[in-house]
Amino acid sequence: MSDANGSNGDCVSAHIPEPAKGQYMKLRAALRDGATGSDQYYSTITFLLT
């Protein structure tokens, strides 16, 4: 998911099904250089659901 219109004050959300305990999840966040630009300054975290 992404907020292609930039910082106009609205938010972006998505429904993600609830995973089961013991599954790994990966979350990646990035800043995008404009609506169609490349991702910059991104970070990824992987964690185990308990």
Side-chain angles (χ1 to χ4, degrees), residues 12-50:
V12 174
S13 63
H15 172 73
I16 300 171
E18 186 174 335
K21 290 181 180 180
Q23 286 185 320
Y24 283 93
M25 295 289 295
K26 185 180 283 190
L27 177 66
R28 181 177 185 232
L31 296 176
R32 180 165 288 165
D33 185 12
T36 59
S38 61
D39 289 349
Q40 299 178 352
Y41 310 112
Y42 59 88
S43 180
T44 303
I45 184 171
T46 301
F47 52 94
L48 176 63
L49 298 171
T50 59

